[in-house]
């Protein structure tokens, strides 16, 4: 068979080409599809959202239409419009209107013609003026020019008349048309106003969809929404980097209200008012709070940062709060003022500071937190050694809610630590004992005395910090830690001598203690100590003093104290130069798994969260044979551990640039003051910014007996007075059994607290003196009358210096004589206006509205100001006298003095002590001499 | 035809709004035909305590004109307890409200010691003492207030919307104490000096009757009222 020759020229390649073309076509289609769709999953979300928003808006429009249909006013306007239009069209009005409109058009033309003619003459006058003026300048004859000018001026006057006539004719026709149309215009205007919402919605709907032909609704073309936050980050070489977030390409509804019930990603941001309004994404982006890979859009996981090597994946749940602290260093206050946000981070930070974590771990910004443990330099004078061995070995067995953590010491180790502490504090302890004699009058077997003591601890306010039996709780740190010791078994650990001198003056024993001085009388202290001595169980403890004097034991104890860092929380002799023993946690939140030591634990999932949870939950869990772990056990609830973890997560070591932080003029002052408030537990008694006031739970029946609320205190009191009061409190509310203790604040502490309250009240200028020149004698006099028995009878309850109200002191109210030094004048008016609003449950009744009609013709605001003025000048003999000496004009001064004499005369007449008369005479004389 | 339509519509509207109003109040007021009554006395178990005199420590000219006694527990003849509030607790319709007494502050004593006021109406509070009093209420269901009543303000009006036993004190005169009892129906009474009370025009039926005293607490009793007859109720209260 011969080989068949095929002519190449004739061979057909069409099949191959077809295949290739097909391949190319598929490839092209695929590449377009991939580029436009499959690599842009966000488009799907945006389209979904557009349709959701479209349908929602449609429903809103429908609802609005229904509302309008049911709105009688709207329907009336519609009917009015229709009937008005029909009236005009149907009746004579229609014809008249048509005639008028024709006439108007003609009149318009005539008016503008007349105006033009007038303008032509006026420009001719300009030219004639020039000619005339020029002739004068050249000293030519001016007769002709003058005549021409006069003729033109006469013509202009004529033409102006014509123009004005035409204009007024035009206006007349126009007015007549408007008159006929008046009802129509009015109705149209009304409808326009009522349609505003509907029009707005109809405009908005076009943002979401395209409607190319009727009946076809397509979602608007999706687009990347990108926020650039310039210079938010720093590169590894410390150059500024912008933060770029595209999160809103999928989360379109996040900054729009009304999508709260939608699922993610379409949903409105939760807590919109606080979190969105105060943190607009166009300024801060999204990842600054949430983390994640903001710039990525190719898949949900990639965008959320759940990919290998992305260091900051999206924070979920409570951990989301970790970033709050980067910008809000005053998180304690922020979380108190807004009860719905930042609760975990604030609690975690509080626990971290109040459980003594800072004693062992350095964290930037928390280095100055005070040591929280008791002062041990004189503990030999205080504690029973056998008790102390027990305590050191397992503190939570003696006091289940103590802040002291459990170090898992063996009993031998406990003995060693005690031996060292006793030895180290022996000298100072003995010196203290020598200076403080065994007290008298204490008898735990005297039932009456014990009862008196028990009553006193309840009434003086001790319960704000201490519980006196196992069930009583006072201020808590976290869920199950007592701020101050529960004293249920206090008599087992110490003795009458120490207790007595301690409660009489705590700082005499421990110079830095948070325990305040309640200014107890000897009798009160005796009763309280007698009561405290009954608080114990029947456990007998041996005398261990001699046993603990073993030098080897003491040496071992010293080693343990040093190794376990007891000095982190306690002031211990011999340990003054020791440093913190724990690792620094400043950037703990950034630690990678490689940096976390899991020991032999295989049951703990390898994540930062699990490692941290286990570390706090069971601190010795990662110990191996070769690597010891020292951290003690705090016995925290899981919720508290979570809060601590959120705090630790927040410690990244990075700094957000200043301009992004919420660091205002007040922030540092607030942070500093808040730490003092926390340390001294001011909030155990007082409500500050809506938080605290733990002791109030004992006064639910009668809140008037609870300690005063200090929210807004900065606006209320004058700073110098407040400073003096904090240094040395005086009783202000005679009905309170509770006693504001003396904390013996150092100067910087007292002024720090004053500044804190001023900062919370955002006072630009805290000093607010009352200047008599701001008022007038008639105001003061009116104030006096208003406060007199005939009107508000203020002094029925209020003290006024030495003048006390009738009845027992527990029915009295604060001394108004103090007001001029104590109170901010502006605050007094606010207080009189609505006392219950400023201090719910107060004994001060509400007087307004309801002021008398016969003073200032019932002008209540003026009445309140008048009382304020009177109060601020109480006790000043002749408040207006000083103004005379200050060089005001003679006549004015004379008038003022005359009235002020009248005013004082009234005062004298009513109170009538003759000494005042004499002083008054002297004052007048003195003033006259001055003049 | 047309006017009839309007009438029909009108009556429907009025009827609807009336029924709405009664739903809101939870109580239907109307005439009671052939109702029965509940009467009886509340007595004290144990020895009658002695009257505790009050020492008026302030404004003695007014407050100490006559000797006053503490009214928190007053036991009179036959050991009857004064100022016990007896009320039906489960009644949804019956007689209308009668005349409502004002609360007077007379010589620094709340008179009457317990004033009864219908929910949603305004209580008149009087001060003819010529001195400053203040009305400080301790309430939860109604907003608590502390309203001054200076001598020039002889009459005040305050509205209580919710049924509640509201304690009232005066911060200017610490011994003053009274109660405002707010009820959403008129079937309540305060016992007299001998512990006697009477509730009239009660529609026949079975009722839970609440006996409340400010210091002795409260207790419930079941009472069956038959048309036209009196159901007697005698309760003994004791100090717990």
């Amino acid at each position: 068979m011969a080989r068949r020759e095929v002519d190449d020229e004739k061979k057909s390649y069409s099949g191959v080409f077809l295949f290739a073309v097909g391949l190319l076509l598929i490839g092209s289609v695929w590449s377009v599809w991939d580029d436009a769709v499959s690599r842009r999953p966000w488009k799907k979300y945006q389209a979904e959202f557009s349709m959701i928003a479209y349908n929602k808006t449609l429903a809103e429009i429908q609802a609005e239409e229904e509302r309008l249909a049911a709105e009688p006013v709207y329907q009336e306007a519609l009917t009015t419009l229709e009937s008005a239009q029909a009236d005009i069209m149907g009746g004579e009005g229609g014809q008249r209107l048509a005639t008028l409109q024709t006439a108007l058009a003609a009149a318009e033309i005539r008016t503008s013609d007349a105006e033009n003619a007038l303008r032509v003459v006026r420009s001719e006058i300009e030219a004639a003026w020039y000619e005339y003026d020029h002739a004068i300048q050249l000293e030519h004859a001016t007769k002709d020019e003058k005549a021409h000018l006069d003729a033109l001026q006469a013509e202009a006057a004529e033409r102006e008349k014509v123009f004005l006539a035409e204009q007024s004719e035009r206006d007349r026709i126009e007015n007549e048309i408007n008159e006929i149309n008046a009802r129509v215009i009015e109705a149209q205007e009304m409808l326009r106003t009522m349609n505003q919402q509907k029009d707005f919605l109809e405009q908005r709907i076009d943002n979401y969809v395209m409607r190319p032909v009727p009946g076809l609704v397509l979602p608007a073309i999706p687009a990347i929404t990108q926020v650039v936050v310039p210079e938010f980050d720093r590169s590894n070489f410390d150059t500024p980097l912008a933060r770029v977030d595209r999160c809103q390409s999928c989360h379109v509804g996040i900054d729009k209200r009304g999508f709260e019930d939608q699922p993610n990603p379409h949903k409105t941001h939760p807590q919109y008012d606080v979190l969105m309004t105060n943190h607009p994404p166009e300024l801060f982006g999204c990842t600054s709070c949430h983390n994640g890979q903001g710039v990525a859009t190719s898949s949900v996981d990639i965008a959320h940062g759940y990919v290998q090597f992305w260091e900051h994946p999206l924070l979920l749940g409570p951990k989301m709060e970790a970033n709050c602290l980067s910008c809000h260093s005053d998180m304690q206050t922020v979380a108190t003022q807004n009860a719905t946000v930042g609760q975990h981070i604030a609690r975690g930070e509080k626990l971290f500071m109040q459980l003594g974590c800072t004693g062992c771990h350095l964290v930037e910004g928390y280095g100055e937190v005070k040591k929280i443990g008791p002062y041990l330099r004189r503990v030999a004078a205080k504690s029973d050694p056998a008790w102390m061995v027990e305590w050191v070995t397992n503190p939570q067995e003696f006091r289940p809610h103590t802040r002291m953590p459990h170090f898992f010491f063996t009993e031998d180790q406990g003995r060693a630590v005690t031996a060292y502490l006793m030895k180290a504090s022996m000298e100072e302890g003995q010196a203290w004992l020598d200076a403080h004699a065994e007290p008298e009058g204490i008898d735990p077997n005297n039932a009456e005395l014990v009862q008196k003591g028990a009553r006193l601890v309840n009434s003086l306010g001790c319960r704000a910090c201490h519980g006196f039996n196992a069930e009583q709780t006072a201020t808590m740190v976290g869920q199950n830690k007592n701020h101050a010791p529960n004293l249920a078994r206090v008599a087992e650990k110490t003795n009458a001598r120490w207790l007595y001198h301690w409660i009489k003056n705590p700082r005499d024993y421990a110079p830095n203690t948070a325990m305040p001085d309640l200014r107890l009388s000897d009798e009160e202290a005796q009763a309280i100590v007698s009561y405290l001595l009954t608080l114990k169980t029947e456990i007998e403890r041996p005398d261990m003093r001699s046993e603990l004097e073993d030098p080897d034991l003491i040496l071992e104890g010293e080693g343990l104290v040093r190794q376990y860092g007891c000095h982190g929380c306690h002031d211990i002799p011999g340990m003054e130069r020791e440093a913190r023993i724990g690792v620094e946690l400043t950037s703990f939140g950034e630690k990678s798994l490689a940096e976390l030591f899991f020991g032999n634990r295989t049951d703990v999932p390898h994540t930062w969260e699990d490692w941290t949870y286990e570390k706090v939950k069971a601190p010795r869990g990662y110990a191996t044979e070769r690597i010891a772990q020292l951290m003690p056990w705090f016995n925290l609830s899981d919720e508290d551990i979570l809060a601590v973890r959120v705090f630790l997560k927040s410690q990244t070591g990075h700094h957000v640039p200043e301009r992004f932080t919420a660091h205002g003029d007040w922030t540092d002052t607030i942070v500093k003051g808040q730490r003092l408030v926390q340390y001294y537990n001011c909030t155990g008694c007082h409500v500050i910014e809506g938080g605290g006031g733990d002791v109030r739970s004992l006064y639910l029946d009668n809140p008037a007996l609870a300690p005063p609320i200090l929210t807004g205190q900065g606006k209320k009191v004058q700073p110098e007075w407040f400073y003096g009061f904090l240094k040395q409190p005086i009783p202000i509310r005679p009905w309170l059994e509770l006693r504001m203790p003396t904390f013996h604040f150092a100067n910087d502490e007292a002024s720090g607290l004053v500044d804190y309250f001023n900062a919370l009240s955002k006072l630009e200028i805290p000093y607010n003196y009352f200047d008599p020149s701001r008022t007038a004698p008639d105001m003061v006099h009116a104030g006096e009358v208003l406060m007199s028995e005939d009107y508000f009878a203020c002094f029925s309850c209020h003290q006024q210096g030495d003048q006390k109200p009738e009845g027992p002191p527990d029915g009295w109210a604060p001394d108004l004589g103090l007001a001029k030094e104590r109170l901010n004048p502006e605050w007094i008016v606010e207080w009189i206006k609505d006392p219950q609003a400023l201090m719910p449950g107060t004994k001060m009744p509400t007087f307004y509205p309801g002021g008398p009609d016969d003073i200032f013709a019932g002008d209540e605001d003026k009445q309140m100001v008048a009382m304020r003025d009177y109060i601020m000048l109480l006790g000043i003999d002749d408040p207006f006298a000083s103004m005379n000496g200050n060089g005001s004009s003679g006549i004015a001064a004379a008038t003022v003095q005359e009235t002020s004499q009248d005013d004082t005369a009234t005062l004298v007449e009513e109170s009538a002590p003759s000494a005042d008369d004499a002083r008054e005479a002297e004052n007048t004389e003195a003033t006259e001499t001055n003049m | 035809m047309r006017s009839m339509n309007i009438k029909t519509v009108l009556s429907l509207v009025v009827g609807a709004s009336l029924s709405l109003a009664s739903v809101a109040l939870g109580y239907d007021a109307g005439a009671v035909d052939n109702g029965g009554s509940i009467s009886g006395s509340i007595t004290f178990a144990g020895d009658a305590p002695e009257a505790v005199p009050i020492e008026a420590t302030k404004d003695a000219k007014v407050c100490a004109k006559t000797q006053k006694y503490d009214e928190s527990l007053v036991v009179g003849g036959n050991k009857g307890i004064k100022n016990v509030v007896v009320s039906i607790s489960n009644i949804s319709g019956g007689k209308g409200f009668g005349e409502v007494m004002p609360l007077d502050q007379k010589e620094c004593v709340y008179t009457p010691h317990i004033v009864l006021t219908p929910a949603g109406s305004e209580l008149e509070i009087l001060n003819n003492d010529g001195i400053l009093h203040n009305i400080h209420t301790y309430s939860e269901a109604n907003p608590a207030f502390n309203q001054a009543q200076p001598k020039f303000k002889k009459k005040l009006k305050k509205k209580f919307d919710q049924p509640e036993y509201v304690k009232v004190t005066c911060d200017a005169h610490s011994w003053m104490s009274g109660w405002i009892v707010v009820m959403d129906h008129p079937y309540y009474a305060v016992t007299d000096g001998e512990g006697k009370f009477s509730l009239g025009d009660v529609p026949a039926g079975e009722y839970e009757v609440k006996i409340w005293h400010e210091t002795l607490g409260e207790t419930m009793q079941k009472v069956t009222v038959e048309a036209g007859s009196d159901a007697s109720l005698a309760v003994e209260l004791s100090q717990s």
Side-chain angles (χ1 to χ4, degrees), chain A residues 701-703 789-793 796-797 806-808 811 836 841-847 849-852, chain B residues 57-60 130-136 138 144-153 171-174:
Chain A
D701 289 343
N702 192 354
E789 270 185 40
D790 285 333
Y791 288 90
F792 293 150
S796 166
C797 298
E806 280 187 272
Q836 296 291 328
T842 176
K843 296 192 340 165
M844 166 86 170
T846 311
F847 289 87
Chain B
T57 49
K58 201 171 161 182
D59 294 321
I131 52 173
L132 171 80
H133 284 303
N134 67 310
I135 300 96
H136 192 162
Y138 297 82
F145 61 85
N146 182 359
Q147 175 74 47
Q149 193 168 15
K151 70 190 263 191
F152 68 86
K153 197 151 226 97
D171 293 301
H173 305 100
S174 54

Side-chain angles (χ1 to χ4, degrees), chain A residues 126-172:
Chain A
E126 294 289 313
W129 254 113
Y130 173 77
E131 295 294 344
Y132 177 56
D133 192 49
H134 193 61
I136 294 173
Q137 297 285 329
L138 297 178
E139 296 178 1
H140 290 175
T142 59
K143 200 177 159 214
D144 290 352
E145 282 79 3
K146 180 79 172 85
H148 184 53
L149 184 63
D150 287 346
L152 281 174
Q153 268 169 343
E155 194 187 344
E158 201 55 39
R159 290 198 179 179
E160 189 167 359
K161 254 186 234 162
V162 175
F163 165 66
L164 288 175
E166 291 295 352
Q167 198 181 33
S168 76
E169 172 63 8
R170 186 200 62 188
D171 291 348
R172 189 193 61 75

Side-chain angles (χ1 to χ4, degrees), chain A residues 3-14 16-17:
Chain A
R3 191 158 164 255
R4 218 170 122 204
E5 288 286 321
V6 178
D7 185 353
D8 274 358
E9 294 292 317
K10 290 180 181 167
K11 190 176 172 189
S12 166
Y13 285 95
S14 56
V16 179
F17 280 131

Side-chain angles (χ1 to χ4, degrees), chain A residues 373-569:
Chain A
Y375 184 77
L376 299 183
R377 302 191 80 90
R378 297 169 178 155
V379 72
K382 169 185 175 185
S383 299
D384 170 39
W387 168 83
M388 203 194 230
V389 172
E390 220 177 282
W391 173 257
V392 170
T393 312
N394 186 354
Q396 286 150 14
E397 192 177 293
F398 184 75
R399 279 184 186 146
H401 301 294
T402 179
R403 285 198 277 176
M404 167 95 168
H406 189 1
F407 283 84
F408 303 101
F409 286 134
T410 62
E411 212 186 313
D412 286 343
Q413 286 174 317
R415 253 198 295 274
V417 169
T418 309
Y420 174 73
L421 293 177
M422 285 292 162
K423 173 76 174 60
S425 63
M426 194 52 79
E427 199 179 315
E428 275 196 59
Q430 194 53 51
W432 187 85
L433 279 178
D434 292 344
H436 297 81
E438 192 70 53
E440 286 171 5
I442 291 169
D443 183 3
N445 298 317
N446 179 339
E448 201 183 319
L449 199 60
V450 168
Q451 197 146 25
K452 182 180 165 196
R455 218 180 44 243
L456 280 170
V457 300
N458 274 318
S459 64
L460 290 178
C462 311
R463 293 273 310 272
C465 295
H466 296 285
F468 289 86
N469 62 50
E471 282 75 42
Q472 279 177 0
T473 53
T475 304
M476 303 294 279
V477 181
Q479 271 184 327
N480 61 1
K481 298 278 142 184
N482 285 323
H483 176 89
N486 182 302
L487 301 180
R489 296 170 70 181
V490 68
E492 290 176 46
K493 62 173 275 194
T494 184
N495 53 66
R497 187 175 182 178
W498 180 82
L499 275 173
Y500 179 83
H501 294 294
W502 166 252
I503 63 172
K504 284 279 283 184
N505 186 357
R507 290 224 161 173
D508 178 48
Y509 171 82
N512 277 325
T513 181
M515 164 96 172
D517 170 3
L518 281 139
R519 302 183 301 277
L520 299 171
S521 68
D522 291 354
E523 291 73 29
E524 286 171 332
Q526 285 158 5
I528 291 172
V529 174
S530 302
Y531 166 65
L532 293 179
L533 290 177
T534 64
L535 301 179
K536 58 177 183 183
T537 61
E538 291 310 312
I539 295 172
E540 288 287 325
R541 292 185 177 82
D543 184 357
M544 292 180 76
R545 276 171 210 280
S546 52
E547 188 185 333
L548 296 175
E549 277 163 13
D550 173 5
D552 290 341
L553 203 61
I554 293 171
L555 202 64
E556 189 198 341
E558 183 176 356
L560 286 168
V561 168
R562 209 181 296 278
Q563 189 187 3
Y564 284 88
C566 308
H567 49 272
C569 292

Side-chain angles (χ1 to χ4, degrees), chain A residues 227 229 248 255 274-286 288:
Chain A
V227 179
V229 190
Q248 290 177 89
D255 59 348
V274 186
L275 299 176
M276 273 315 246
T277 313
N278 295 344
H279 309 84
E282 56 274 24
L283 289 187
F284 296 101
C286 305
S288 47

